[in-house]
Amino acid sequence: MTSDEPTTPTGGNPYLERAYGLRGPDDAREFYDEWAAEYDADLADDTQGYVAPELAAETLVRVAGTGVTVLDAGCGTGLVGAALAQRGIDVIDGVDVSPGMLERARATGAYRSLEPADLTRPLPTPADAYDAVVCVGTLTHGHVGPEALAEFVRLTRPGGSVVATVLDDVWESGGYRAETDRLVDAGVAELVSADVTPYRSGVGVEARMLVLTAR
């Protein structure tokens, strides 16, 4: 978990203000179960402009193609899975800490499987299980720390892709850049890009679109 003080604009949304102050997976599970029914509507309107799921899906298709198996880590209500399915990817598994969010994701019809998981811990999934891992909206204030990047790389076959948004406010202070450098130096991943991209465009929030190739 990151320990920096949240400074990211929330557009006055009370759920977002609470989201950036979460304290561990149990807190997150309860909070996202509560928010699940309103999550998509709260983030999709013009005041928030949550464009990250669409941009991440576009990025993944660009670097990995469509004939791939994908793990959507922290899938939430399935916004990323739906965006990937619309682009022709039809083998997508999702994991999330919140059963309430998983039920919403199931309703999209985009996923092969959906399972509860705590991304602050290693997953039981075997190494090299996926052609690509995507993670959007989870590497941020009060959620999942940089240690998850190593797990995403472990789950990705050599030559496969990891695509993850990292809130720009915590890219440096939260240790995500340092962990990316560590993975590259250890020879387990290659850094393709970490460009700044819109995230919640309605309030000017940006993220790093981190793209790694597993080795």
Side-chain angles (χ1 to χ4, degrees):
M1 293 291 175
T2 58
S3 59
D4 54 291
E5 290 298 322
T7 58
T8 309
T10 62
N13 182 285
Y15 279 113
L16 276 171
E17 291 173 5
R18 289 171 58 193
Y20 288 154
L22 293 177
R23 294 292 181 265
D26 290 339
D27 195 15
R29 185 179 301 108
E30 180 178 349
F31 169 73
Y32 280 106
D33 280 351
E34 178 185 340
W35 193 12
E38 304 298 329
Y39 182 87
D40 289 0
D42 280 354
L43 294 184
D45 66 14
D46 290 341
T47 62
Q48 294 294 337
Y50 187 43
V51 295
E54 292 285 336
L55 294 179
E58 290 174 5
T59 300
L60 190 146
V61 169
R62 175 173 53 81
V63 299
T66 57
V68 291
T69 59
V70 179
L71 176 66
D72 183 1
C75 64
T77 59
L79 294 174
V80 176
L84 290 171
Q86 290 168 1
R87 289 163 173 79
I89 295 179
D90 57 10
V91 184
I92 311 165
D93 294 340
V95 295
D96 197 271
V97 73
S98 162
M101 300 292 261
L102 288 170
E103 284 304 309
R104 294 283 168 169
R106 189 166 286 110
T108 68
Y111 293 88
R112 177 177 66 176
S113 72
L114 288 160
E115 298 291 340
D118 173 7
L119 293 178
T120 68
R121 299 176 178 273
L123 298 179
T125 311
D128 306 340
Y130 294 95
D131 297 317
V133 173
V134 64
C135 181
V136 177
T138 301
L139 306 182
T140 181
H141 299 285
H143 285 59
V144 176
E147 66 280 354
L149 293 175
E151 182 67 356
F152 297 162
V153 170
R154 183 188 72 84
L155 295 171
T156 305
R157 65 163 178 81
S161 299
V162 174
V163 175
T165 62
V166 182
L167 197 68
D168 197 40
D169 289 1
V170 298
W171 169 243
E172 298 268 5
S173 63
Y176 299 93
R177 179 177 179 176
E179 177 63 4
T180 297
D181 291 344
R182 188 191 71 80
L183 294 170
V184 172
D185 290 344
V188 298
E190 175 185 347
L191 176 61
V192 177
S193 57
D195 298 332
V196 176
T197 186
Y199 182 76
R200 283 188 290 111
S201 59
V203 287
V205 176
E206 295 178 321
R208 298 292 177 133
M209 187 68 72
L210 178 63
V211 181
L212 300 171
T213 299
R215 289 182 160 176

